[in-house]
Amino acid sequence: CLDSLGGRRRLTGLRAASVQWGPWADSGMAAGGAVNARLQAGGIGLIGLAQGVVAFKAALRPVCPSAMSLFPVRWGQYLGTRGGVVPGLLSAFTRRDGTRSLGMLASAPTELCEVTLETIFGLLEQTVGTAISADAPLMEAGLDSL
């Protein structure tokens, strides 16, 4: 997979970036019509050209992780569509009293954040309720993807 290839290249000092792009505003399935309306109503934004270019340039920086995602989300609106149930993986985007919040993104939406493997495993274990092995496929833990 490209994520693994990017990680391997970075470990050997070569440049690589694997970006999981969200829906684009100007092209693709989400660019118009019913799909766009459904995404927007659910709190999922579309990537504009300028935003995509900035993200692409950031992805090429040597200090960035080798795999990242660009997926504009209006967290308050998105979490509001979940019937009040917030999965553990998204709990960082709620306030302690359970109300919706921008969470950690509110302080600096233009800054890049590094997420450690330990953080990811901690969130995954909260989500599935059991320990997860780094060497086992996610499907064995009941997850089909991140």
Side-chain angles (χ1 to χ4, degrees):
C1 114
L2 291 177
D3 297 351
S4 297
L5 175 62
R8 179 71 177 153
R9 287 181 56 89
R10 288 278 178 110
L11 285 174
T12 60
L14 300 172
R15 288 192 176 207
S18 175
V19 181
Q20 294 85 39
W21 297 100
W24 285 80
D26 300 319
S27 63
M29 285 178 38
V35 173
N36 183 343
R38 191 175 75 241
L39 289 171
Q40 296 286 339
I44 299 182
L46 304 179
I47 303 167
L49 181 60
Q51 188 179 27
V53 168
V54 168
F56 182 72
K57 287 180 179 178
L60 297 177
R61 294 177 48 197
V63 295
C64 286
S66 60
M68 61 197 79
S69 179
L70 176 61
F71 198 82
V73 178
R74 290 179 302 283
W75 287 107
Q77 187 175 352
Y78 176 78
L79 293 174
T81 66
R82 306 209 33 97
V85 177
V86 178
L89 191 61
L90 300 178
S91 62
F93 299 100
T94 60
R95 294 187 182 113
R96 288 182 187 239
D97 63 4
T99 60
R100 293 180 300 276
S101 166
L102 289 179
M104 62 186 169
L105 294 181
S107 62
T110 58
E111 289 183 19
L112 296 173
C113 301
E114 182 177 348
V115 177
T116 65
L117 189 57
E118 291 78 23
T119 302
I120 292 171
F121 277 112
L123 291 170
L124 290 173
E125 289 172 0
Q126 286 177 15
T127 301
V128 299
T130 62
I132 296 177
S133 169
D135 298 320
L138 289 176
M139 291 291 284
E140 288 181 11
L143 297 166
D144 64 351
S145 64
L146 290 177

